[in-house]
């Protein structure tokens, strides 16, 4: 039973991100490079968070302390990766133009939202992997979930929250990069604030038990509401509109012909 739940929660957490990688990134070497580079930047933020946690001995047992500074470091490194991409745009474009026969798409570097999406997915996947890998290891068994009075919904909650954070990092990067390009710092602050809010909501889960499993909804529902709102902002930041969306669906149905 535990092994079945292990695979189920793994597919919940990483099924959609894996599909996004396969269909939108895997065939393009430059996108893969950007994804790996963004994951490395996230790891650097984790390293700094770990150093700070280790250095501040009196607050090591305070989960909120580590969480707050982890979010701050993540957003700082998201900004550093944005600056790195913008400085590397010209060189990456030249490389991509020389390798157009190898599934490299030069228009990626003209449409900055694509690179923001790829970097956000890299941030999200590595963050999700580090957040749930220990949970998945415990989930594989042997054992019976909830036998010691803990909630049997803990693993499901972890999987759904991991998926939410992976997708949130993806749309956060799209909104964050677009806002910096337009120098709209209020939107940048909104991304940082929502990241901090959703992360802090997960602190509620440590108070949950078998008798109070409803507490998990206090983190899951607001997190997914935030995901839908930020997805709409990312769609708008990338130049999307409901009119364009309707035309795209109509074209797929053969109502219009594209010249």
């Amino acid at each position: 039973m535990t092994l079945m739940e292990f695979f189920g929660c793994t597919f919940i957490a990483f099924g959609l991100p894996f599909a996004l990688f396969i269909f939108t990134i895997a065939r393009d070497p430059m996108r893969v490079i950007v994804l790996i580079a963004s994951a490395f930047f996230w790891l650097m933020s984790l390293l700094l968070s770990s150093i700070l946690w280790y250095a501040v001995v009196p607050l090591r047992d305070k989960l909120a302390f580590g969480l707050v500074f982890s979010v701050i470091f993540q957003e700082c490194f998201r900004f550093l990766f944005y600056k790195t991409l913008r400085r590397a745009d010209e060189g990456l474009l030249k490389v991509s133009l020389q390798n157009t026969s190898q599934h490299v798409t030069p228009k990626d570097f003209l449409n900055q939202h694509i690179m923001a999406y790829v970097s956000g997915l890299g941030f999200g996947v590595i963050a999700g992997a580090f957040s749930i890998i220990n949970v998945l290891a415990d989930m594989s068994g042997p054992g019976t979930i909830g036998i010691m009075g803990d909630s049997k919904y803990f693993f499901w909650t972890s999987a759904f929250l991991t998926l939410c954070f992976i997708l949130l990092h993806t749309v956060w990067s799209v909104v964050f990069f677009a806002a910096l390009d337009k120098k709209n710092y209020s939107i940048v602050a909104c991304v940082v604030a929502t990241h901090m809010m959703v992360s802090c909501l997960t602190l509620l889960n440590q108070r949950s038990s078998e008798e109070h499993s409803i507490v998990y909804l206090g983190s899951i529902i607001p997190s997914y509401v935030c995901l839908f709102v930020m997805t709409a902002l990312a769609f708008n930041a990338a130049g999307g509109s409901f009119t364009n969306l309707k035309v795209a669906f109509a074209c797929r149905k053969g109502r219009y012909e594209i010249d």
Side-chain angles (χ1 to χ4, degrees):
M1 182 64 183
T2 52
L3 192 60
M4 293 173 62
E5 189 151 12
F6 166 80
F7 283 108
C9 290
T10 301
F11 293 147
I12 289 172
F14 297 106
L16 180 56
F18 182 71
L20 292 174
F21 172 78
I22 292 297
F23 291 110
T24 64
I25 296 176
R27 286 176 56 84
D28 191 324
M30 295 307 301
R31 294 186 190 182
V32 174
I33 291 172
V34 171
L35 182 134
I36 294 174
S38 65
F40 173 76
F41 271 67
W42 187 91
L43 288 173
M44 292 297 294
S45 74
L46 178 65
L47 175 62
L48 287 184
S49 300
S50 301
I51 292 173
L52 180 64
W53 173 83
Y54 186 80
V56 185
V57 178
L59 296 177
R60 281 187 189 176
D61 59 340
K62 303 297 182 182
L63 186 59
F65 167 75
L67 183 146
V68 168
F69 279 95
S70 176
V71 171
I72 293 173
F73 284 134
Q74 286 179 53
E75 294 304 327
C76 288
F77 274 87
R78 196 193 307 273
F79 174 75
L80 288 177
F81 191 70
Y82 162 82
K83 298 297 289 185
T84 301
L85 271 184
R86 292 299 178 263
R87 288 182 178 274
D89 276 347
E90 184 177 350
L92 290 173
L93 180 58
K94 290 180 180 178
V95 171
S96 66
L97 288 172
Q98 295 172 0
N99 294 277
T100 53
S101 61
Q102 301 178 8
H103 304 292
V104 179
T105 50
K107 63 181 180 180
D108 287 1
F109 304 98
L110 302 178
N111 185 351
Q112 304 291 354
H113 305 302
I114 295 177
M115 288 296 102
Y117 155 75
V118 175
S119 64
L121 189 60
F123 252 66
V125 168
I126 194 67
F130 269 80
S131 67
I132 202 174
I133 192 68
N134 289 333
V135 176
L136 291 176
D138 291 337
M139 193 185 305
S140 60
T144 301
I145 298 170
I147 195 172
M148 302 301 293
D150 297 319
S151 176
K152 60 184 177 182
Y153 301 112
F154 171 74
F155 292 139
W156 295 359
T157 302
S158 299
F160 279 108
L161 282 177
T162 298
L163 172 63
C164 185
F165 269 96
I166 293 174
L167 299 179
L168 274 171
H169 273 294
T170 304
V171 295
W172 275 333
S173 287
V174 174
V175 175
F176 190 89
F177 285 25
L180 287 175
D181 286 337
K182 298 177 181 178
K183 301 188 186 310
N184 190 343
Y185 299 113
S186 60
I187 299 298
V188 174
C190 178
V191 170
V192 177
T194 53
H195 189 180
M196 185 70 72
M197 179 195 72
V198 175
S199 297
C200 288
L201 283 174
T202 61
L203 294 174
L204 296 174
N205 296 338
Q206 61 185 329
R207 301 179 181 179
S208 185
S209 63
E210 181 64 28
E211 294 79 14
H212 302 91
S213 297
I214 192 67
V215 173
Y216 287 132
L217 296 178
S219 60
I220 292 178
I221 294 177
S223 297
Y224 275 89
V225 170
C226 180
L227 173 61
F228 291 134
V229 172
M230 295 306 298
T231 300
L233 289 177
F235 179 71
N236 181 69
S241 67
F242 287 109
T243 301
N244 294 339
L245 200 59
K246 290 179 180 178
V247 171
F249 279 116
C251 290
R252 283 186 172 274
K253 293 179 180 180
R255 294 181 183 178
Y256 300 105
E257 293 183 358
I258 302 178
D259 295 333

